[in-house]
């Protein structure tokens, strides 16, 4: 799946300890902490729960995926493979 980072979402908060923990609790695959960055072209460690949208999709909802800090700053479209998404909508999850 191809995604793009949402710029300016770093001030968004949820009721989990972190957005990475939020992803772990609410991702569609029920997967626990993912050690590696979700970007397929990266070998870094997952450090943050990044806010992304699906690229080239009618679905413009906001999602969380584990990324390294460098990939969290990317402005291009990138592939996260089959990494499950977690809704970033707090009212649907931890709110």
């Amino acid at each position: 799946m191809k995604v793009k980072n949402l710029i300016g979402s770093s001030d968004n908060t949820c009721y989990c300890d972190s957005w990475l923990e939020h992803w772990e609790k609410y991702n569609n695959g029920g997967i626990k902490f993912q050690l590696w960055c979700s970007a397929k072209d990266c070998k870094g460690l997952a450090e943050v729960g990044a806010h992304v949208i699906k690229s080239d999709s009618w679905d413009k909802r906001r999602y969380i995926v584990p990324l390294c800090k460098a990939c969290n700053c990317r402005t291009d479209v990138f592939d996260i493979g089959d990494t499950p998404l977690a809704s970033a909508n707090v009212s649907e999850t931890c709110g």
Side-chain angles (χ1 to χ4, degrees), residues 1-65:
M1 175 184 325
K2 293 190 178 186
V3 298
K4 186 171 182 173
N5 280 316
L6 285 170
I7 306 302
S9 62
S10 60
D11 289 336
N12 294 352
T13 59
C14 74
Y15 295 100
C16 301
D17 287 336
S18 69
W19 284 109
L20 197 54
E21 182 180 306
H22 180 93
W23 175 85
E24 186 176 85
K25 287 181 181 179
Y26 300 105
N27 73 73
N28 294 332
I31 295 174
K32 294 298 178 191
F33 178 72
Q34 184 168 322
L35 181 61
W36 302 107
C37 179
S38 297
K40 288 185 79 172
D41 61 351
C42 180
K43 302 290 184 204
L45 295 175
E47 300 169 280
V48 298
H51 292 78
V52 300
I53 57 171
K54 294 178 183 178
S55 176
D56 299 327
S57 173
W58 58 269
D59 179 1
K60 296 302 179 193
R61 289 177 287 181
R62 296 170 179 225
Y63 295 99
I64 304 296
V65 294

